[in-house]
Amino acid sequence: MKLISNTLITSLIASGLLLTGCGGGDSSGPSTDTGDTVKWVEGEFIPYAQLSNQCDADLREKLWLRSWSNDTYLWYSEIIDRDPAPYQVSEYFKLLKTENLSATGNPKDKFHFSMPTSEWEQLNQSGVSVGYGMSVYIQQRSDKTDRKVTVAYTEPNSQATSANIARGAVIVSVDGVSVQDASDTASIDIINKGLFPDDEGQETRFTIQDLGASQTRDVVLTAQAVVSTPVQNTKVLTTPSGNIGYFQFNSHIATAERGLYDAVATLATARVDDLVLDLRYNGGGLLAMASQLGYMIAGQQATQDRIFENVSFNDKYPTKNPVTGETLTPRPFYDETFGFNPGLLAGGKSLPSLNLSRVFVLTTDRTCSASESLINSLRGIDVEVIQIGGTTCGKPYGFYPTPNCGTTYFSIQFKGVNDKGYGDYTDGFVPSSNPTLQSEVPGCDVADDFSHALGDTEESQLAAALYYRDNNSCPAQMAKASRTQAKPQFVDVGYILEDTRNQNLLLNNRILTQPK
């Protein structure tokens, strides 16, 4: 894939941002490749470079996955070495991860997935995915009752906005099936297919109740290629004590580089005294972009010669990157554009900055990975972070998307720590009025407020941030975020609504990218 302009490739490889290829890797046993015949031998691994892109041989694909995982997976020693013969390629990949639990009883690896390479390239490079242009929030109890689907936000110029669907609208039924009452597999499948379409042209009839409306209405939406606008609602809020900047940042994808550049430039021109960064739906993405945003918030003086993040791989590679072969070096705060999408913004431009010593971040349990890295890395250089909202998802891990035979695989390969060496937030960052742990961040536990538009100063999380700014404390009356919210992308298939598309998993990650 080509994520940057050719003129930048040399410098980016030198900085460790990009990979130089998708093959390679060491082996941990003798080769069992004997000409045209390969076979599985427990505990023996053919170097995966010898097996890559041999797409007419099902076993070779599976053995490539096995050797690649054994070489680069962060917890490779916890993978059960199974004979791949009984499994399809996709089924076998799902088994190539740890089955262990975290200290708190959660799955240790919740971020293991694959997707068609063409789909990954389209989504990451241009922000295009199939849908209606609305992001939904699913609430249901652990016993799968009391289910509710609410529109969280919409994309500009999409089917959803054309149908006047906005944040706070509740989806009552999908193709005639009640969201609240569905309890059998067939009904749940209809709802999931309607909410999360796979194919362009799919028509779905939704019964919705708009925010504040007493009656429902029916709308028919046609799934289409939706271009995401990852940076929205840039605003300057004028107060007696100074200007406050605000913007909504939904994903660290390639197209966001231009949006972030423009948003920060606008706020810098307005000379804002504070920033409220809305990360409540930002699941992550390109780690280099998080580093850029960190620089744009803190500025040159605060970030000079400081580490954005140090990454480490499995114990086979204590000093080098197993994918690039380069010696491990700290990732700095980047102060220039990369031209991730050169049609929108060329590389090599100096980034604007706000030169702030503190930032307010709005979060939910959908704030994940690269977004958490941004929070952690700013704290690592003593930028004061005030967290308003809910506990984040907890993912200090990342990977290089690796293609083989038309499928791109995402398997945890590294973990990261900030300039102070901290990165142990596997259960998320927790807003606290009295923090005692490193994973607890000063701030307020505030529920997401679907009764107001994002960026509205009356919306609960933004209102709490403004109150905290003036009073250095949390509002007395506020609904708290739930820690039992369903995380649709991680639940098992069953009588429960879930976004089964891998785009959802993709956007809950920190990603290092590679050119072809």
Side-chain angles (χ1 to χ4, degrees), residues 201-259:
Q202 175 184 314
E203 290 190 350
T204 303
R205 177 168 56 87
F206 295 96
T207 300
I208 67 172
Q209 185 166 5
D210 295 306
L211 180 64
S214 58
Q215 302 294 321
T216 62
R217 63 184 176 104
D218 286 354
V219 296
V220 176
L221 302 181
T222 303
Q224 57 185 207
V226 177
V227 179
S228 171
T229 303
V231 181
Q232 302 183 26
N233 294 334
T234 302
K235 297 183 177 183
V236 178
L237 308 175
T238 303
T239 73
S241 56
N243 290 337
I244 303 169
Y246 167 90
F247 63 88
Q248 173 189 345
F249 181 27
N250 294 331
S251 179
H252 293 70
I253 57 176
T255 53
E257 187 176 34
R258 178 56 188 264

Side-chain angles (χ1 to χ4, degrees), residues 57-386:
D58 181 80
L59 179 59
R60 285 176 181 264
E61 281 194 64
K62 289 182 281 190
L63 290 179
W64 177 87
L65 281 169
R66 174 176 173 266
S67 293
W68 171 68
S69 300
N70 180 71
D71 189 57
T72 68
Y73 185 59
L74 186 61
W75 303 292
Y76 70 93
S77 62
E78 298 176 19
I79 298 175
I80 298 173
D81 191 8
R82 298 177 174 90
D83 183 350
Y87 306 100
Q88 299 294 321
V89 173
S90 59
E91 294 173 333
Y92 190 61
F93 173 68
K94 292 177 182 178
L95 299 173
L96 294 173
K97 67 172 187 174
T98 180
E99 297 179 4
N100 292 348
L101 302 178
S102 71
T104 55
N106 296 313
K108 190 172 179 178
D109 185 351
K110 302 175 289 186
F111 304 92
H112 188 81
F113 68 100
S114 64
M115 65 193 304
T117 297
S118 59
E119 190 175 316
W120 147 247
E121 290 179 340
Q122 183 182 49
L123 179 63
N124 180 63
Q125 176 65 11
S126 60
V128 174
S129 61
V130 174
Y132 316 106
M134 61 181 182
S135 176
V136 297
Y137 179 80
I138 301 171
Q139 298 166 281
Q140 58 190 348
R141 293 162 55 95
S142 58
D143 60 0
K144 308 176 184 61
T145 62
D146 197 23
R147 189 185 302 115
K148 184 178 182 180
V149 175
T150 308
V151 175
Y153 67 92
T154 58
E155 296 289 352
N157 304 313
S158 65
Q159 284 267 302
T161 53
S162 295
N164 295 316
I165 298 173
R167 175 176 170 84
V170 174
I171 297 176
V172 178
S173 69
V174 179
D175 280 335
V177 177
S178 168
V179 169
Q180 181 174 352
D181 299 330
S183 59
D184 60 276
T185 302
S187 296
I188 294 296
D189 287 346
I190 290 171
I191 296 174
N192 277 329
K193 181 181 179 181
L195 289 174
F196 312 117
D198 290 318
D199 303 312
E200 291 185 58
Q202 175 184 314
E203 290 190 350
T204 303
R205 177 168 56 87
F206 295 96
T207 300
I208 67 172
Q209 185 166 5
D210 295 306
L211 180 64
S214 58
Q215 302 294 321
T216 62
R217 63 184 176 104
D218 286 354
V219 296
V220 176
L221 302 181
T222 303
Q224 57 185 207
V226 177
V227 179
S228 171
T229 303
V231 181
Q232 302 183 26
N233 294 334
T234 302
K235 297 183 177 183
V236 178
L237 308 175
T238 303
T239 73
S241 56
N243 290 337
I244 303 169
Y246 167 90
F247 63 88
Q248 173 189 345
F249 181 27
N250 294 331
S251 179
H252 293 70
I253 57 176
T255 53
E257 187 176 34
R258 178 56 188 264
L260 291 173
Y261 183 97
D262 289 346
V264 174
T266 296
L267 300 181
T269 299
R271 299 183 181 275
V272 297
D273 301 291
D274 273 300
L275 173 67
V276 179
L277 179 62
D278 198 334
L279 297 173
R280 72 184 79 191
Y281 305 127
N282 192 319
L286 297 169
L287 194 58
M289 191 173 293
S291 173
Q292 290 175 311
L293 181 54
Y295 171 84
M296 287 190 277
I297 292 170
Q300 191 270 338
Q301 184 174 350
T303 59
Q304 186 173 15
D305 299 325
R306 303 296 294 272
I307 294 170
F308 175 78
E309 188 167 83
N310 252 326
V311 299
S312 60
F313 293 80
N314 66 41
D315 58 14
K316 294 180 181 181
Y317 296 96
T319 60
K320 77 171 185 176
N321 183 317
V323 186
T324 67
E326 297 173 339
T327 300
L328 292 178
T329 56
R331 179 175 300 278
F333 285 84
Y334 294 117
D335 61 1
E336 291 187 345
T337 62
F338 289 122
F340 286 115
N341 191 318
L344 295 177
L345 182 66
K349 293 174 65 68
S350 295
L351 293 170
S353 62
L354 301 177
N355 302 308
L356 297 176
S357 59
R358 73 174 176 183
V359 61
F360 294 82
V361 294
L362 309 185
T363 63
T364 67
D365 59 358
R366 291 170 67 175
T367 306
C368 197
S369 201
S371 292
E372 293 173 300
S373 180
L374 173 66
I375 293 170
N376 193 47
S377 296
L378 287 173
R379 297 181 78 202
I381 60 170
D382 296 317
V383 171
E384 182 183 13
V385 177
I386 309 297

